[in-house]
Amino acid sequence: MKRSIRQLNWRYATKKFDSNRVLNEKQVQLLKEAFNLTATSYGLQPVKMVVLQNKEIQQKLVQHSYAQEQVTQASHVLILCIEKEIDASYIATYFERVKRIRGTSEDILAPFKNSLTASFMEKAQKEINAWAMNQAYLIMGNLLTICALEEIDACPMEGFEPAAYDELLGLNEKGLSSVLVLPVGYRAPDDPFSSFKKVRKTLNESIIEIN
């Protein structure tokens, strides 16, 4: 079995973390870089990631996470947040970045820049938020794969109160809204879920091949 598939079999949604074990700086940096390198639609990166390592704050977040203790047990808690405002200025900043890094001229970029700006200006805020949230899910999936390959345990969470997180972490002032939570660290030796067999469809049930 290939190592990548073996590691995906190894991972599971960790229900109990070993609160005495902490990720090292190199591991945390790797997760930051994996986050930043994840593909996003148009390359706009409408998601920011909060890296939380503060047991006092983590404990406060448990009550806003439907009593899921993983939030306080974990070494770190990664919180994916979407930008509240994707406007013409935000899009212009992206194209300035393209010019700076790639040296692409304004003449070449202008048609796409103008088209993309016009497209976003026509969208309702609800539609933009849904688009941005889709990017957060792409990032979550990538982080889970990287965690598996690096043998970092993780528990993807949708079950939390975003408004409470936003207030406690001061995200509103940063123009952000929390959408997903990912506690990371090391599984506790007595977490019974670590030994459960994966329940998945067979490949024949989940794959359609067209030749």
Side-chain angles (χ1 to χ4, degrees):
M1 184 185 295
K2 293 285 188 179
R3 179 179 180 273
S4 56
I5 298 300
R6 185 170 63 249
Q7 290 306 115
L8 290 176
N9 273 298
W10 171 85
R11 71 147 299 277
Y12 73 107
T14 305
K15 301 304 181 186
K16 184 177 181 182
F17 286 91
D18 184 342
S19 58
N20 295 314
R21 299 186 67 188
V22 179
L23 298 181
N24 61 46
E25 188 175 332
K26 185 176 179 181
Q27 290 171 307
V28 175
Q29 183 63 27
L30 184 147
L31 294 177
K32 291 177 184 177
E33 292 183 15
F35 162 81
N36 204 46
L37 287 169
T38 300
T40 59
S41 180
Y42 308 115
L44 287 178
Q45 294 181 279
V47 183
K48 287 191 176 182
M49 182 171 74
V50 174
V51 180
L52 174 64
Q53 186 189 21
N54 181 307
K55 288 299 182 185
E56 182 179 347
I57 298 176
Q58 288 172 240
Q59 182 59 55
K60 289 179 180 178
L61 288 175
V62 172
Q63 64 179 312
H64 305 300
S65 309
Y66 300 102
Q68 296 179 89
E69 292 290 337
Q70 298 99 309
V71 172
T72 190
Q73 297 164 349
S75 168
H76 294 68
V77 179
L78 310 181
I79 301 138
L80 300 183
C81 312
I82 61 172
E83 299 274 2
K84 286 185 176 181
E85 192 167 2
I86 308 294
D87 56 11
S89 176
Y90 184 94
I91 295 170
T93 299
Y94 164 72
F95 282 96
E96 288 301 319
R97 190 178 304 121
V98 174
K99 286 194 289 185
R100 184 178 71 251
I101 294 174
R102 294 180 175 172
T104 311
S105 72
E106 177 67 26
D107 289 343
I108 292 174
L109 292 174
F112 181 38
K113 173 184 174 182
N114 294 337
S115 174
L116 190 60
T117 302
S119 174
F120 269 81
M121 295 308 98
E122 291 174 356
K123 298 180 189 297
Q125 187 61 47
K126 185 176 180 179
E127 186 179 358
I128 294 175
N129 289 347
W131 167 81
M133 187 173 292
N134 286 342
Q135 312 316 305
Y137 278 98
L138 284 174
I139 291 167
M140 175 72 88
N142 196 42
L143 286 173
L144 287 172
T145 299
I146 294 299
C147 284
L149 293 174
E150 297 296 322
E151 295 197 355
I152 296 171
D153 286 297
C155 181
M157 290 171 49
E158 295 177 298
F160 72 105
E161 299 169 9
Y165 266 64
D166 295 351
E167 182 177 354
L168 189 57
L169 299 173
L171 299 179
N172 293 313
E173 292 79 3
K174 295 177 173 63
L176 300 171
S177 298
S178 56
V179 292
L180 292 170
V181 177
L182 185 66
V184 294
Y186 295 96
R187 64 189 67 177
D190 60 345
D191 184 357
F193 286 84
S194 65
S195 62
F196 286 4
K197 290 184 177 181
K198 286 198 181 300
V199 179
R200 297 290 191 274
K201 295 178 180 179
T202 65
L203 289 180
N204 286 337
E205 291 173 310
S206 62
I207 306 295
I208 298 173
E209 296 195 35
I210 301 175
N211 298 314

